[in-house]
Amino acid sequence: IAKREGCALLQPAPVAAPTENDSNDDSSVGNIDVKSMLDALGGCVECANDDSMNSLMVTTAMMGPVYGVMRNNRDWLVKQGVSPKDASYFVGRSYLSIVQDAERDCRDANRFDDLIEEQTPGGLNEQALGNLDKQGVLNSYDNAMDAVLSRLQGKSDGSLPSNP
């Protein structure tokens, strides 16, 4: 089990086949439905194998980059004359709202596409996303995630190659 804030990744352990001498049934104390318990505590994704679990774990390594973006947003606001206290509060509350919006109906595989599609055509959000995409920011996230996966798989130390 890999626990992260609000969600757990679960890979079921192999269970030995029962023998004639086993008197336990499904109602025994030893048989706990871990997935249901974790779902009740915030969420669970059951992984079929280590590859799937490692891939999902990569997303948890994006917490630091998100905090880095938030810090950058705060610092930018401060440069615009906003007090550090107000900038920090505003950024934190804005991202909370964004994440709550994303979490709603997140089991729908199209949720994030729908959120992007609902941005006002020609609006500020659509333009900001397009500008970041043109600068390769989204591809940079893919590269960082590939590097984390490589580290989890023991193939590298997780560092990106240096630019010549």
Side-chain angles (χ1 to χ4, degrees):
I1 297 174
K3 170 71 173 80
R4 295 294 182 253
E5 293 300 317
C7 186
L9 302 173
L10 173 64
Q11 182 177 7
V15 177
T19 66
E20 289 180 31
N21 297 329
D22 287 339
S23 60
N24 294 337
D25 60 17
D26 285 342
S27 64
S28 72
V29 175
N31 291 328
I32 299 170
D33 185 354
V34 176
K35 183 176 183 322
S36 293
M37 179 182 68
L38 292 173
D39 276 333
L41 292 173
C44 178
V45 173
E46 194 169 357
C47 302
N49 54 50
D50 284 344
D51 290 340
S52 177
M53 185 171 220
N54 282 338
S55 295
L56 287 165
M57 286 176 61
V58 168
T59 304
T60 69
M62 295 297 102
M63 180 172 42
V66 168
Y67 293 153
V69 169
M70 293 171 73
R71 179 183 61 197
N72 186 274
N73 290 178
R74 179 210 59 207
D75 291 350
W76 185 88
L77 287 171
V78 170
K79 288 178 192 173
Q80 305 310 308
V82 177
S83 77
K85 181 179 175 183
D86 287 346
S88 183
Y89 178 81
F90 187 79
V91 169
R93 298 303 294 189
S94 294
Y95 275 78
L96 172 62
S97 177
I98 292 165
V99 169
Q100 287 174 331
D101 215 15
E103 190 272 340
R104 201 171 299 115
D105 300 322
C106 63
R107 290 206 181 263
D108 177 351
N110 297 314
R111 177 65 178 157
F112 305 125
D113 299 308
D114 293 345
L115 287 169
I116 290 169
E117 288 300 317
E118 75 180 25
Q119 303 303 301
T120 304
L124 300 174
N125 288 297
E126 183 185 68
Q127 185 177 37
L129 179 61
N131 286 340
L132 290 171
D133 193 28
K134 284 179 189 173
Q135 293 181 52
V137 172
L138 303 179
N139 288 335
S140 292
Y141 271 90
D142 287 347
N143 294 339
M145 292 172 76
D146 287 343
V148 169
L149 180 59
S150 179
R151 178 176 169 183
L152 288 172
Q153 294 170 332
K155 295 178 181 177
S156 77
D157 68 358
S159 298
L160 290 173
S162 300
N163 290 336

